[in-house]
Amino acid sequence: MHSQFMHTSWSLSAVIVLGTLLTGCGNRQPETPEPLQPAPAEPQTTAAPGPAVQADAAAATVTAQKLSPPAASREPELADMKVAQVVSEKLGVPVELRYQLDGDAMAGQPVTLHLAAVPRVAGANLTMSIKQESGIAFAKDELHAAKVDAATPYRQQLQLARQVGGPAEIRVLVTMDFPIGTGFTYFSVPLGGGSAQSKPAVDGTE
Amino acid sequence: MPHRGGSGHPVRNTSTSLILSGLVSLLTLVACGGGGGGGSSNRAPVANAGMAQTVASGATVNLNSTGSSDPDGSIAAYQWTQTSGPAVSISNAGAALTSFVAPTVTAATTLTFSLVVTDNQGLNSAASSVTITVSPPAVTLAGVVRYARAPFDLPTVRLDYANASFLPARGVVVRVLNASTQAVLASGVTLDDGSYSLNVPGNTSVTVQVEARLLRDSSLPLPRWNVRVQDGTGSTLTPYRYTGSAINSTNGNGDVNIPLGISATGAATGTRASGPFAILDTIYTALQAAITAMPAANFPTLYVDWGAQTEGSFFTPGSGLHIALRADLTEDTDEFDQPVIAHEFGHYLQYSFARSDSLGGNHGLGDKLDLRVAFNEGFATGFAAIALNDQVYYDTFVRSDGTLDGGGYFIETNPATNPPGDARGVGCWCNEATVWSLVWDLYDGNVDANDGVALPFSAIWQAMIGSNSTTPAFVSIFSYIHALKAIRPVEAGTIDTLVAAQNISSATIDDFATTETHAPFLNVLPVYADIFRGTPKIVHSIDDGGPNATDGDHNKLGAHALLRYVAQSSGNVTITVTTSNTSFEADPDFVMYRSGVPLSLGLCDQNPIGQCAPNAQRNEVATNVAVTAGTTYVIDAYDCANGCTTVQGTHGDYDLTVSIQ
């Protein structure tokens, strides 16, 4: 049964058409169950089209669409990239996500976002993708690495543009397969500010 | 005896005493010159007919005038008069305290009574009224409370919203409210089939309100619990509630079906009303497992925070005991992820009844964790599998493009079945998957490779709360297995076989892992280094995962170095920890513990100057640390570049020189 998780997880992802689940996806806030009221529909995210660009990543197949056609910029050193915070500290993927923005995304101009997923242990089928949200335009394609080695950065770079009133952060989903199952972790990447290599204090047990 | 007038309404009782009182008052006023301008005029008494009441048909109703008063004398007479409603017989209309028998009515009926009092000088008060609402005879309102649950579909590894079904809401608080006044007419708790039965006034418009609270209170013998789900993080918030449509209490259907509010594709279609009750039902299942081991437990109040403000799923013992669960339909929502909920409840159990020394923090499958974290997380997952009797641990999520997906693990699978040297999670005392597979194998009845043991959960839990909870070492798989073997000597051999297969030296196991020989990487053995007063000890704070690792999360194996110190004599000692880290931000910290309780902090962050002395003084000192002869202490030492929640400096492998003087 080991392969069942992996196989079904991936087949599911492959067959479901992008975007079919986005419309009305989101009452993100459970409310007091009375009185009954319909939840507001969440606007569908629009990602600007653009040519595909091959990003640099060892042992990874990366395809990223960019908002504008300039060639991929040089990847920053891993040590110079900031560490993204996990959204939920329950059991997830053993991956550290680092990021760097070549510019101030909050200023409204397109900026290049560098992402690097660094697994702490080996596995398979690492994916990295950005959650589509209103007010942020970016490439849709996700990174996929079939073979995952420990301590190897799996990089992706793309351009994103934050619209006025857009979110102050983006969410990056990383998934990974293991011999006994599949894990996922959502990371939070702030579009402005943030200190390099800092992590929040933990006051709970996950 | 009131008389019924032609209109059917009661007429006022023309009391002879009232007339006489008036005449006396009039005469008194005339004799005193009309009452104007005199310095000793009598002031009128004040009548008080008491508080409004709601009573059942046929009930004896007391009318009470004791709130009446006279400002300059005393009250000499009382007069009760019925002014509306079906006529009743007042037992003594001239008494301060009187009563009547409520009529039998078929619908809620209001009766009004007036009270006039007369003072000792014969002056009457203004009338005071009281309303008595008579309810129809009680009836039994019965029904079943169900909530909608989206099942986990194993083949597709996701929540199947399209096939949600209604399941009994067990053990939740249910109330019957008057639909007009919202007054609570009756309350109770649903049974295991979701049913309830409450006596309420008949022929009354009522609503059935279900509160997201599991309650077994002091009106019942132990065990007791109080678990509620709320939208927020405080301890005074109101739990979620769901109220059904108004029904007639005599002939209405008391069933309540709490809706899902989510479409087949996972989008909200309305209020997600069933979520809190799905959470509670999983906790109810976990409670039933817990009470098999603790049948007389008094579970501390547990708050479950599930709402827009919840950014994460975790247990925290901060202000009250809280489980937070995510509720984001666009990323990750946990109300139907039963293993996640049961896992967090497992943490609650450990904290409340056993002992947890965990550091918390991020952790992923296959991570080599600090032994405290590995055990805490692994046991909670093992408990979840036992409580749910399901070896599939799943946690669903939503992909970035909105498609439903899920992650999951097979609890039965032992990490040690991976090839030796496989970095993807070999059996290790530092691996939470090792711990959960052991906990599950200790429990399950399957006889598979190296697993010839099947213990009841009560035995598994007894080891948790026994010597494992008082060990001078940290709570870990070592102290746990040691405790389990002590209370289950007959199974000790089979336990050794099982545990040893996970690369743990079980046959000679003790709380401090003295004989452990399995090292995931260099410089992590011994698990606890012995230190003696006057003899400095060099230990290591390691960037987790070995030299190629890039992350220095504080809760990973090797970031913290553990030392065992047995005080030879009582008195004060000075503890010094010095790091080999030469960076400007170098910060060696340490904490000394006795049976898991921190005693002495050597934390640079608490230094009054706010930072560590750079370079010139790469040490941390704690003076006047009182120790007791024969007592065993644990010193947890680490370089803050590796072991702090907020990383300070550059990760790396650093030597720590620890001395006790």
Side-chain angles (χ1 to χ4, degrees):
Chain A
M1 293 179 70
H2 292 179
S3 61
Q4 196 168 25
F5 267 130
M6 293 182 287
H7 172 74
T8 54
S9 176
W10 281 103
S11 61
L12 179 69
S13 301
V15 300
I16 297 181
V17 178
L18 176 69
T20 55
L21 301 179
L22 287 178
T23 303
C25 234
N27 180 6
R28 299 176 58 179
Q29 305 178 7
E31 303 163 357
T32 302
E34 57 179 351
L36 287 174
Q37 293 178 341
E42 185 166 278
Q44 185 167 358
T45 301
T46 302
V53 174
Q54 190 73 21
D56 175 32
T61 302
V62 182
T63 304
Q65 289 184 312
K66 300 181 69 175
L67 289 171
S68 54
S73 63
R74 183 179 178 182
E75 292 291 359
E77 292 293 326
L78 208 57
D80 296 333
M81 301 173 75
K82 298 174 182 175
V83 179
Q85 297 180 8
V86 300
V87 174
S88 181
E89 292 171 333
K90 57 185 175 179
L91 177 61
V93 291
V95 170
E96 181 179 86
L97 180 68
R98 291 180 177 248
Y99 69 96
Q100 180 172 299
L101 284 160
D102 293 345
D104 183 2
M106 299 299 285
Q109 298 299 315
V111 297
T112 300
L113 171 64
H114 302 268
L115 295 170
V118 188
R120 292 190 288 270
V121 300
N125 291 324
L126 182 144
T127 73
M128 179 165 61
S129 57
I130 298 175
K131 179 185 175 185
Q132 297 180 22
E133 290 195 82
S134 176
I136 294 288
F138 53 89
K140 279 186 175 180
D141 289 353
E142 69 176 21
L143 177 149
H144 176 214
K147 180 176 180 296
V148 181
D149 296 320
T152 298
Y154 293 84
R155 293 179 179 267
Q156 183 180 31
Q157 73 168 257
L158 67 160
Q159 285 202 317
L160 64 80
R162 175 184 178 274
Q163 298 164 3
V164 175
E169 66 172 31
I170 58 173
R171 297 292 177 87
V172 178
L173 173 68
V174 177
T175 68
M176 191 171 160
D177 288 346
F178 304 93
I180 64 169
T182 299
F184 75 95
T185 297
Y186 264 103
F187 294 88
S188 172
V189 174
L191 297 180
S195 58
Q197 299 187 19
S198 65
K199 298 187 178 183
V202 175
D203 61 356
T205 299
E206 296 72 43
Chain B
M1 180 77 184
H3 301 276
R4 186 177 295 277
S7 66
H9 294 293
V11 296
R12 290 181 185 275
N13 180 7
T14 307
S15 168
T16 303
S17 61
L18 189 60
I19 295 171
L20 290 175
S21 298
L23 288 173
V24 170
S25 299
L26 180 60
L27 291 173
T28 303
L29 287 172
V30 170
C32 293
S40 59
S41 61
N42 180 34
R43 288 186 285 170
V46 178
N48 185 334
M51 302 290 289
Q53 302 178 53
T54 297
V55 301
S57 291
T60 297
V61 185
N62 293 317
L63 299 175
N64 190 336
S65 67
T66 54
S68 303
S69 62
D70 182 63
D72 53 5
S74 60
I75 296 175
Y78 302 84
Q79 186 57 52
W80 293 94
T81 306
Q82 185 177 8
T83 57
S84 72
V88 298
S89 176
I90 301 175
S91 62
N92 183 353
L97 302 176
T98 187
S99 63
F100 68 92
V101 176
T104 298
V105 297
T106 56
T109 303
T110 300
L111 286 68
T112 307
F113 296 85
S114 171
L115 171 68
V116 174
V117 298
T118 306
D119 69 9
N120 57 329
Q121 297 188 54
L123 186 59
N124 285 341
S125 69
S128 171
S129 292
V130 63
T131 298
I132 308 296
T133 302
V134 182
S135 302
V139 296
T140 298
L141 179 63
V144 177
V145 179
R146 301 179 183 87
Y147 71 96
R149 170 179 291 283
F152 174 70
D153 184 59
L154 182 59
T156 58
V157 198
R158 64 181 179 88
L159 288 176
D160 186 3
Y161 290 110
N163 284 302
S165 60
F166 285 99
L167 301 176
R170 302 173 295 165
V172 297
V173 171
V174 59
R175 300 189 184 96
V176 179
L177 309 181
N178 183 302
S180 300
T181 66
Q182 303 303 305
V184 177
L185 303 176
S187 64
V189 173
T190 59
L191 303 178
D192 278 1
D193 60 357
S195 67
Y196 70 92
S197 178
L198 296 170
N199 291 328
V200 297
N203 202 28
T204 302
S205 180
V206 300
T207 56
V208 179
Q209 182 185 78
V210 191
E211 184 168 278
R213 181 198 297 263
L214 299 175
L215 182 65
R216 185 176 165 89
D217 63 16
S218 58
S219 66
L220 297 170
L222 293 170
R224 299 187 187 117
W225 53 75
N226 184 356
V227 184
R228 68 194 204 192
V229 183
Q230 59 189 23
D231 183 7
T233 58
S235 299
T236 59
L237 300 177
T238 301
Y240 285 104
R241 290 171 176 165
Y242 179 81
T243 303
S245 302
I247 57 173
N248 184 285
S249 60
T250 296
N251 52 26
N253 183 346
D255 290 350
V256 177
N257 291 321
I258 306 174
L260 185 68
I262 303 173
S263 73
T265 57
T269 57
T271 300
R272 294 156 60 190
S274 73
F277 299 94
I279 293 167
L280 284 180
D281 205 63
T282 297
I283 291 179
Y284 189 82
T285 298
L287 272 169
Q288 304 315 302
I291 61 177
T292 64
M294 299 184 292
N298 191 3
F299 294 88
T301 298
L302 174 62
Y303 306 90
V304 180
D305 306 324
W306 180 77
Q309 82 295 336
T310 309
E311 283 285 89
S313 294
F314 54 86
F315 165 74
T316 178
S319 177
L321 306 181
H322 287 255
I323 287 174
L325 295 171
R326 294 208 70 196
D328 188 342
L329 275 180
T330 68
E331 287 183 9
D332 180 14
T333 189
D334 285 330
E335 69 269 30
F336 300 120
D337 289 343
Q338 294 191 75
V340 175
I341 299 168
H343 170 98
E344 302 303 344
F345 187 80
H347 285 314
Y348 158 84
L349 279 184
Q350 291 176 61
Y351 181 85
S352 301
F353 296 98
R355 178 176 139 195
S356 170
D357 295 332
S358 179
L359 300 169
N362 305 337
H363 55 108
L365 189 65
D367 269 336
K368 299 178 181 68
L369 299 168
D370 181 283
L371 81 172
R372 293 164 283 186
V373 181
F375 180 73
N376 192 49
E377 297 299 337
F379 193 91
T381 300
F383 168 78
I386 292 171
L388 301 172
N389 195 31
D390 188 349
Q391 62 147 313
V392 176
Y393 187 96
Y394 61 86
D395 184 4
T396 63
F397 64 98
V398 181
R399 286 199 166 270
S400 298
D401 60 5
T403 55
L404 302 175
D405 209 335
Y409 312 100
F410 291 93
I411 303 302
E412 170 83 345
T413 304
N414 304 121
T417 57
N418 291 333
D422 190 327
R424 294 173 296 181
V426 298
C428 176
W429 44 269
C430 59
N431 187 338
E432 64 181 297
T434 284
V435 175
W436 76 47
S437 72
L438 285 175
V439 172
W440 174 256
D441 276 340
L442 288 169
Y443 170 80
D444 77 341
N446 291 338
V447 177
D448 46 41
N450 303 308
D451 178 14
V453 61
L455 301 175
F457 177 67
S458 57
I460 291 171
W461 185 249
Q462 189 60 40
M464 274 294 282
I465 62 178
S467 62
N468 183 53
S469 290
T470 58
T471 176
F474 285 132
V475 169
S476 71
I477 191 64
F478 298 111
S479 60
Y480 177 75
I481 294 299
H482 188 209
L484 182 65
K485 289 172 60 179
I487 65 172
R488 305 291 292 199
V490 173
E491 291 95 350
T494 52
I495 292 172
D496 282 340
T497 300
L498 176 67
V499 175
Q502 290 297 303
N503 300 326
I504 298 172
S505 301
S506 182
T508 55
I509 202 166
D510 64 9
D511 293 1
F512 284 92
T514 309
T515 61
E516 185 55 60
T517 58
H518 297 90
F521 45 80
L522 292 175
N523 290 328
V524 295
L525 291 180
V527 178
Y528 295 83
D530 284 314
I531 185 171
F532 302 94
R533 187 172 182 176
T535 305
K537 188 77 175 182
I538 296 177
V539 291
H540 310 281
S541 179
I542 302 167
D543 187 10
D544 79 285
N548 294 323
T550 58
D551 175 65
D553 252 351
H554 74 287
N555 65 355
K556 304 303 183 296
L557 179 62
H560 292 244
L562 307 180
L563 301 98
R564 173 170 57 177
Y565 169 56
V566 182
Q568 300 300 307
S569 59
S570 298
N572 289 342
V573 298
T574 296
I575 303 172
T576 303
V577 177
T578 305
T579 181
S580 63
N581 184 353
T582 58
S583 73
F584 182 83
E585 306 100 327
D587 177 13
D589 286 351
F590 67 91
V591 181
M592 189 165 83
Y593 294 85
R594 183 177 60 211
S595 295
V597 177
L599 299 177
S600 179
L601 304 176
L603 304 178
C604 193
D605 296 340
Q606 298 189 356
N607 188 311
I609 64 173
Q611 60 181 20
C612 296
N615 289 332
Q617 190 177 355
R618 300 188 311 275
N619 60 19
E620 196 75 41
V621 181
T623 58
N624 296 321
V625 179
V627 297
T628 302
T631 300
T632 300
Y633 301 90
V634 169
I635 298 173
D636 175 1
Y638 47 97
D639 189 296
C640 223
N642 300 327
C644 286
T645 53
T646 299
V647 176
Q648 189 170 325
T650 305
H651 308 318
D653 296 347
Y654 302 112
D655 290 345
L656 301 173
T657 303
V658 183
S659 67
I660 300 175
Q661 300 294 338

